[in-house]
Each structure stands twice: as C-alpha cells, then as structure tokens.
Amino acid sequence: MSEYLPRSLRPRREKIFGPAPSHRLDGNAKARVWAAASAYNSANRQQRQHWGPLTRTTMDVLKTLLWRFHGADGGARCFPSYERIAQAARCCRDSVCVAIAALEEAGLLTWVHRLTKIRRREQDLFGHWASSWQVIRTSNAYRFLDPLEREPGRRGWRACKSENPARPQNREKQIDGARLDGAQVIQDEASQAPPLPAEPPAIALRREHGPADGALLSNAKRTALIARLDSAPTKADWAAYRHDLDARLQIRS
C-alpha cells in the first residue's frame, strides 16, 4: 500500500554506515529464490510477454546477484555497484536499476543504502582552503527473501543445518566425548520400527476395562437399533439402548 501514498509519506529505506550486513544463503535457498521468480512469471504473464513481468534482463540480473556476487567476499554479503552488475549481466546501468525495482516488487529481494563519510578539501568564498566532511552513497546491500523463511511455522537456516531438522546429520551425537559427523551417525544408529498409530481413548478404555455388562453395541447394531426405535420399538429395544448409552458415557468419563 505504500506505493499509493505521496512520496513524502512513504517509509524511507534504511541507511547504514560501514560494511554490508551478512545474510547466509546455501545452494538450496538460492534455487528456491530462482524457482520463486519463475513461478511469479508464470502466474502473472500477460499477453505479448515472452518471459512475464520479470524480463530476460531482470532474470539475468537476479542470476548475477545470486551466483556471482552473493558471498563473493566470503562473508555472505552482496553489495555490488550498478556498474559491476551491468558488466556481469551484459546490460546497461539503467536496466539494472529497473530490474532491481521489479525484483523487489515481486518479493524476491530487498536492499539498504550504504553510506560513508569522506573529507573534502575546497576553497571558501575568500579563497581560503578548508576541509569538510561529506556523506556519500557507495552501493546497495542486497538481501534475498527465502520463500521458506517467509512461511509461518517453517524453520530457516539459522535453526538447522538443512531443511529437515529431524535428519541424523542435524542431531548432535557423541561417543566417548567425540562428536560424530552425519555419515557416521547414520551408520551407527540402530534401525527402529516406525511407531504404531495411537488409538482413540474410547477404544483404549474399552480394550482395558471393557463395557458395562457387555452392553456396548457395534456401529451396525446401533444403527439397526435406532431404526427400530423410530418405527416400532419394544421394551427390549429401549433397554438395549439405555445399556449402550450408559456404557458409552462410562467410557467417555
């Protein structure tokens, strides 16, 4: 909804000094971001659009950011300039600006402005040399939005080493104080039978204690009994219905 507000009322983008923030992404997360971009194009493709809202140049920019610049410094950061992105994606600088805005609109990435201070030496009106500090922008720090991290109830890479935290390589195990790696854990773990499905409490109580006076009827007999009660009931039918009802109430309690 911020695009419908006046520019003066829109929330301003965050600005930071110093190095770009680190955001870790493994190969699976990068593949999920790329798949999300392809799915966005497939869902929003209009007539006379070969690729979709994300054009070929936009996809080339995304591919360059994911597999060329992200993590290139060894710190899981992504902060190339427009010129470097244009050179790697083989497009012009203005196309990079449009592509990054389209990727943010698609919900695939976001960025913050990086600032730095420089000291400039210049002459004043009287011809005297003086120095002053000036704040300039260096480049953007990009952060990709993993589809799994945006889903409620899913654990991201910070919580586990892989997508499934129940895998043996994600469980810390030790033998004589030495930590085992994933392959050794898989080999050392004894095979266990899958757990049996839990039975309902009513069936468990019936199996342990049994019904009162053996009056609990099966579903078929109970259906036939209710049909007889609706048509031409007898005293025996009413007695059987009362015993069955008392037995069910006893089991539930």
Side-chain angles (χ1 to χ4, degrees):
M1 297 296 293
S2 60
E3 63 270 13
Y4 299 105
L5 296 175
R7 186 173 297 274
S8 59
L9 298 180
R10 296 179 186 177
R12 295 189 176 183
R13 194 174 299 275
E14 182 183 359
K15 299 177 177 61
I16 59 173
F17 285 91
S22 176
H23 180 65
R24 181 180 173 184
L25 282 179
D26 58 359
N28 293 332
K30 293 182 180 181
R32 287 192 295 267
V33 174
W34 181 261
S38 301
Y40 179 82
N41 267 344
S42 300
N44 299 278
R45 182 181 293 112
Q46 303 293 333
Q47 293 183 356
R48 299 184 179 180
Q49 286 185 347
H50 181 67
W51 288 74
L54 305 180
T55 61
R56 181 186 62 84
T57 303
T58 303
M59 299 296 287
D60 290 343
V61 170
L62 177 61
K63 183 189 302 182
T64 302
L65 290 174
L66 281 173
W67 284 285
R68 174 70 181 276
F69 293 109
H70 183 270
D73 63 334
R77 299 180 178 89
C78 185
F79 53 96
S81 61
Y82 282 176
E83 289 76 10
R84 294 290 303 275
I85 299 175
Q87 181 181 2
R90 298 181 180 180
C91 61
C92 64
R93 187 182 185 278
D94 295 339
S95 299
V96 174
C97 182
V98 174
I100 291 176
L103 292 173
E104 186 185 35
E105 185 179 358
L108 300 174
L109 59 79
T110 184
W111 72 88
V112 296
H113 295 317
R114 295 178 59 237
L115 306 177
T116 186
K117 286 185 178 181
I118 61 173
R119 185 184 292 273
R120 297 186 56 183
R121 182 174 175 82
E122 56 186 0
Q123 289 181 333
D124 56 11
L125 296 177
F126 301 99
H128 301 153
W129 287 95
S131 60
S132 61
W133 289 98
Q134 183 180 4
V135 177
I136 61 173
R137 284 179 52 186
T138 56
S139 65
N140 299 330
Y142 301 98
R143 180 180 183 274
F144 298 95
L145 305 178
D146 190 353
L148 287 188
E149 293 183 358
R150 291 182 293 175
E151 293 182 5
R154 295 301 298 268
R155 304 175 66 185
W157 63 269
R158 298 179 182 84
C160 59
K161 299 177 184 177
S162 66
E163 296 181 13
N164 188 1
R167 290 179 179 175
Q169 61 266 28
N170 295 328
R171 296 196 292 268
E172 297 182 359
K173 293 198 173 184
Q174 295 183 356
I175 292 182
D176 298 333
R179 183 172 178 179
L180 304 178
D181 56 0
Q184 193 172 0
V185 169
I186 295 175
Q187 294 175 4
D188 292 343
E189 278 191 338
S191 58
Q192 299 178 359
L196 297 176
E199 57 183 358
I203 300 179
L205 288 174
R206 179 184 177 185
R207 178 175 51 80
E208 294 179 2
H209 305 287
D213 298 333
L216 191 61
L217 302 177
S218 62
N219 293 333
K221 292 183 179 180
R222 186 178 299 111
T223 303
L225 177 61
I226 294 175
R228 290 197 302 270
L229 293 177
D230 292 337
S231 58
T234 62
K235 292 184 179 181
D237 294 338
W238 283 112
Y241 179 77
R242 285 195 300 269
H243 287 299
D244 179 71
L245 181 60
D246 294 340
R248 285 185 292 169
L249 293 177
Q250 182 181 358
I251 290 178
R252 292 182 181 179
S253 61

